[in-house]
Amino acid sequence: MRPLLHSCFWLTLGTVLVCGCDLSHGRPGKDSETLAPDKIMDFKILYAENCAGCHGTDGRGGAAIALANPVYLAIADEAAMRRETAEGVQGTSMPAFAQSAGGMLTDKQIDVITTQIRARWARPGILTGVEAPSHQNLRKSPGVAARGELVYKTYCESCHGAEGRGGQKGSAITDGAFLALVSDQGLRTLVIVGRPELNAPDWRGNVPGKPMSEEEITDVVAWLASKRVQTPGQPYPATQNAPAPGAK
């Protein structure tokens, strides 16, 4: 009997020691290994670290448009969306994220971000039966700013105020700093899809029962673009020269 107990004791002790080594204080578990940045394929992590700062938590919008806007996803060109994510948009605050363009993300990570944005936030059929304007300016027309001013007065002034300087319901949209950070394509996108997170309607809702036409959208973008200045924020207020020490 004693030899049997002796064997059981040593077997138990061995098991405790082995398990104790695996669970020892400070020893990392299998799930605690840190992935290299280029190996992360979890959409939530990729979006939070690369997109949420501008486009908001869960795509709800922030400094930039809401990516979880199903109207935007219904009209936005998928290939263009991926290209802009990878290469950025020159002259705006949208940076390049692909390693091939100086960013930090691999092509596979770019694919995860762009495909999952649509998979999670698009609503197929949301514009079925609606004659939606093109996200891109298919006519390649620069538009006519003079006509665009009239379009602005009809569709936008009630919220954004005279000359786009801001109103009770909407912010200033002819501000030099704002226009310096958004491309003509970005302006077109905003006019078409609106900013639902800010209660700004899409192209159908500015005037009830009177959606904006393709031509009107192009013209009002031309008018907004005409308000850009070469040096936003200039000229600085004139400063008065301080009198020289001892001067009377």
Side-chain angles (χ1 to χ4, degrees):
M1 188 69 173
R2 285 185 177 180
L4 180 59
L5 290 174
H6 188 264
S7 298
C8 288
F9 169 77
W10 287 110
L11 179 62
T12 302
L13 179 61
T15 302
V16 170
L17 289 174
V18 171
C19 292
C21 288
D22 260 356
L23 302 176
S24 59
H25 180 69
R27 183 184 180 89
K30 294 180 180 179
D31 297 332
S32 65
E33 296 181 9
T34 301
L35 288 175
D38 62 351
K39 301 300 181 185
I40 296 173
M41 294 295 165
D42 186 306
F43 170 75
K44 289 185 177 180
I45 296 175
L46 291 172
Y47 180 86
E49 293 184 351
N50 298 282
C51 314
C54 289
H55 295 286
T57 303
D58 295 326
R60 292 194 295 265
I65 64 170
L67 295 175
N69 179 352
V71 174
Y72 166 69
L73 294 175
I75 68 164
D77 179 82
E78 187 169 354
M81 190 172 168
R82 190 197 184 285
R83 183 176 62 254
E84 290 171 1
T85 303
E87 301 174 5
V89 181
Q90 189 174 9
T92 76
S93 56
M94 176 66 180
F97 285 98
Q99 290 178 349
S100 59
M104 297 292 291
L105 301 182
T106 66
D107 288 344
K108 289 183 179 179
Q109 289 174 317
I110 297 290
D111 287 338
V112 169
I113 290 174
T114 55
T115 58
Q116 284 298 306
I117 282 174
R118 290 186 176 278
R120 293 165 182 261
W121 298 329
R123 285 171 52 190
I126 189 173
L127 295 182
T128 299
V130 176
E131 188 176 348
S134 170
H135 181 236
Q136 302 288 333
N137 183 359
L138 297 181
R139 298 181 181 181
K140 305 299 181 184
S141 166
V144 179
R147 289 201 308 250
E149 183 175 10
L150 298 177
V151 174
Y152 176 83
K153 289 179 180 294
T154 301
Y155 292 97
C156 317
E157 188 175 80
S158 61
C159 288
H160 294 286
E163 292 293 315
R165 292 192 293 264
Q168 293 183 347
K169 297 181 180 179
S171 61
I173 54 175
T174 53
D175 177 76
F178 166 70
L179 291 174
L181 294 172
V182 62
S183 64
D184 286 3
Q185 177 60 59
L187 290 172
R188 184 179 181 86
T189 299
L190 289 171
V191 172
I192 296 173
V193 307
R195 293 287 302 261
E197 73 278 14
L198 300 177
N199 296 318
D202 60 40
W203 85 100
R204 298 167 292 180
N206 293 292
V207 176
K210 188 180 179 183
M212 297 176 74
S213 69
E214 188 91 34
E215 184 178 64
E216 288 172 327
I217 291 168
T218 301
D219 287 342
V220 79
V221 168
W223 180 76
L224 290 169
S226 74
K227 299 297 181 180
R228 286 197 181 98
V229 293
Q230 188 172 359
T231 52
Q234 300 282 356
Y236 292 115
T239 57
Q240 298 295 326
N241 293 326
K248 294 183 180 179

